[in-house]
Amino acid sequence: MAAQRSRTRPWRLLAALVLCAAAAAGQESRGSIRGRVSDSTGAVMAGTKVQATNLATKSGAASVTNEQGNYEIPYLLPGIYRVTVEAPGFKTAVRDQIELRVSDRLTLDFALQVGDVAESVVVTGETPLLESAAASIGMLMDQRRISELPIVGGNPVYLVRLSPGVASNAGRGNGHDPYNAGAGTTLIVVNGTRSGSSEVTMDGTPNMTELNNFYAPPQDMVQEFKIHTATYDASLGHATGAVTNISTKAGTNALHGSAYVFQSRIRAIPWFSNRWLHDPTTGPINDEKIRQVKQPYAHERAGVTVRGPVLIPRLYNGRNRTFFSAGYERAYQSQTTSQTGTVPPADQLRGDFSSLLRLGAQDQIYDPMTITSAAGGR
């Protein structure tokens, strides 16, 4: 019996400062809202102000329609938004509870009604918007799926295997660090493309190593992610396979956090093993028998996350402006495996194979250069 133990490396630590105004390099994971503003007759309206406000942070961005009445508000973090359109001589139009997901480019058109700008026309509870301004095809994994679905080792990107057209040929890990990132999630086959041709980005930044691995953030740090299985959109590139965009949780005006421990040692005995344990034909239950049914394996994962506004007493109040998000996770794995080998006896190690003569005439060893015919066809 040989015991094998492995610990995760310190890079599992994720301490990221997330600023609302931070610029992301690489493939864009933030979303955008675009559309056209017209009046009740269908005539386009130029110079109209359009404001998008994140309901969690009370921050956002604004745009002004051009001569064709079109507007676009780019670089918006995933979240729930309120979009407001104001123009002199028209009622204020408000679209509330607009869900913007990672890499979304939503189209939102407005038709203003004549009236006082102090009056508002609020539209809520609509059917979720379809993304009609992008050409890529993929699947979104939202926060509920990431937090509730069973995930090997807490690596949420394993869920890419649930996407249509995606298969994995690398098991659950890369052999060196199976409970973090690696070949288990990047060496995937997507719609017939070669294994190892996919890419992972985090908050728009390339998140890959030269060994086709990536740094996986703790499960509670991921807001959502989207795997693009057909990257026909011009904003995606670098890979012939899939592109997975991970969006981490950003800070909000309210302080949030979590702490967790997953311990495999307190798991129950599997049903089939438990049945064998109580089978009278296998003998009475004892400590040795219990050790046989319990798998010689232990996995422990513990972490903590925190996010909120940047507050420095008497110096700075970051509400509605500046936020932070940080987390730490440590994983531990211990496994005992059985190994069986064949070792030659001491005389054969010395080159003495005479003991084989005792096995019978059919198994005697001889010098092939001196072979002669013998009775019985030998």
Side-chain angles (χ1 to χ4, degrees), residues 52 80 158 181 205 279 288 304 354:
I80 306 299
Y158 274 103
T205 302
D279 188 349
E288 178 61 26
V304 60
S354 60

Side-chain angles (χ1 to χ4, degrees), residues 74-326:
Y75 310 130
L76 298 175
L77 293 175
I80 306 299
Y81 283 83
R82 175 185 295 117
V83 182
T84 305
V85 180
E86 296 180 353
F90 293 87
K91 296 180 181 179
T92 299
V94 179
R95 296 281 290 273
D96 212 352
Q97 299 296 318
I98 301 298
E99 182 180 7
L100 186 67
R101 301 167 301 184
V102 58
S103 302
D104 268 357
R105 288 194 284 174
L106 301 181
T107 300
L108 205 59
D109 297 331
F110 290 87
L112 302 186
Q113 301 178 13
V114 177
D116 191 343
V117 71
E119 299 180 81
S120 298
V121 178
V122 181
V123 179
T124 57
E126 289 185 317
T127 302
L129 296 174
L130 296 177
E131 186 182 9
S132 59
S136 63
I137 301 174
M139 183 175 182
L140 178 81
M141 289 294 171
D142 56 24
Q143 187 176 353
R144 181 178 179 182
R145 294 180 183 178
I146 293 173
S147 61
E148 295 183 4
L149 288 178
I151 299 174
V152 174
N155 180 5
V157 189
Y158 274 103
L159 296 178
V160 300
R161 303 183 186 191
L162 301 180
S163 304
V166 177
S168 176
N169 64 345
R172 66 184 183 185
N174 62 358
H176 300 287
D177 206 2
Y179 285 93
N180 288 311
T185 47
T186 53
L187 292 185
I188 54 178
V189 178
V190 182
N191 296 329
T193 59
R194 295 186 62 180
S195 175
S197 59
S198 298
E199 183 181 18
V200 178
T201 67
M202 188 163 63
D203 293 327
T205 302
N207 190 27
M208 304 288 294
T209 71
E210 71 279 2
L211 298 178
N212 220 21
N213 300 331
F214 73 98
Y215 299 131
Q219 182 176 350
D220 275 8
M221 287 293 296
V222 177
Q223 174 74 22
E224 60 188 26
F225 69 86
K226 184 174 183 179
I227 175 172
H228 303 265
T229 53
T231 56
Y232 297 129
D233 195 272
S235 64
L236 302 171
H238 293 176
T240 58
V243 174
T244 302
N245 275 326
I246 303 174
S247 177
T248 57
K249 291 181 179 179
T252 63
N253 280 327
L255 189 65
H256 297 277
S258 64
Y260 51 90
V261 175
F262 294 94
Q263 175 56 263
S264 65
R265 292 185 177 90
I266 60 176
R267 69 193 184 283
I269 297 176
W271 184 86
F272 288 101
S273 299
N274 190 63
R275 182 182 181 184
W276 177 86
L277 185 67
H278 293 84
D279 188 349
T281 63
T282 62
I285 299 177
N286 51 47
D287 292 341
E288 178 61 26
K289 193 174 181 181
I290 293 176
R291 282 194 294 270
Q292 293 180 28
V293 301
K294 285 190 174 182
Q295 298 298 320
Y297 169 78
H299 172 226
E300 178 179 302
R301 182 164 57 92
V304 60
T305 66
V306 61
R307 61 189 187 277
V310 176
L311 300 175
I312 303 177
R314 300 181 181 180
L315 293 178
Y316 184 76
N317 185 351
R319 295 186 185 276
N320 302 336
R321 290 181 292 178
T322 311
F323 312 91
F324 75 93
S325 179

